[in-house]
Amino acid sequence: MKAQRDGSAARLRARAEQGLYRAILSLRSEAECERFFADLCTPAEIEALVDRWAVVKYLEDGLPYRKIHELTGVTVTTIGRVARFLVAGNGGYQTALKRLSPL
């Protein structure tokens, strides 16, 4: 019985996760994204996301971890994690970078 409940919970969670992604994709402007994330996340959560994205840009520019830390205050551990996902993650950072880079 517990396994069945766990399976149902996992399906509900997956459905909720997909709903979140669809909600994000429905947003049509930076202002809409800003309002959505301000409602969804705490200021600390937004700051963490912004910090990670800033680290991606600095890593792409070839800056050393210590310099990135000096510029952002992000820990070297977090910078290393972002670097690992940038190289061997799920491709999300690479897709966003490619789509945002000038043609």
Side-chain angles (χ1 to χ4, degrees):
M1 185 69 155
K2 182 179 181 335
Q4 185 177 9
R5 276 185 275 140
D6 290 346
S8 295
R11 282 192 299 280
L12 289 172
R13 171 125 171 57
R15 197 173 324 157
E17 186 175 339
Q18 290 169 347
L20 172 63
Y21 299 147
R22 282 194 301 276
I24 292 168
L25 287 170
S26 76
L27 302 171
R28 295 192 174 127
S29 68
E30 286 182 32
E32 286 183 0
C33 284
E34 184 177 350
R35 290 191 303 269
F36 179 80
F37 281 95
D39 287 344
L40 181 67
C41 301
T42 67
E45 290 167 335
I46 293 171
E47 182 178 0
L49 294 171
V50 169
D51 286 349
R52 289 177 187 157
W53 184 245
V55 166
V56 168
K57 302 291 230 165
Y58 287 131
L59 288 168
E60 279 293 292
D61 290 342
L63 270 68
Y65 289 17
R66 292 281 174 207
K67 182 65 176 174
I68 295 170
H69 169 71
E70 289 172 19
L71 292 168
T72 64
V74 174
T75 66
V76 174
T77 302
T78 297
I79 295 166
R81 181 183 184 281
V82 171
R84 280 191 307 279
F85 277 87
L86 185 60
V87 172
N90 299 294
Y93 286 142
Q94 294 296 339
T95 298
L97 285 168
K98 185 169 43 172
R99 290 186 182 159
L100 291 173
S101 68
L103 297 173

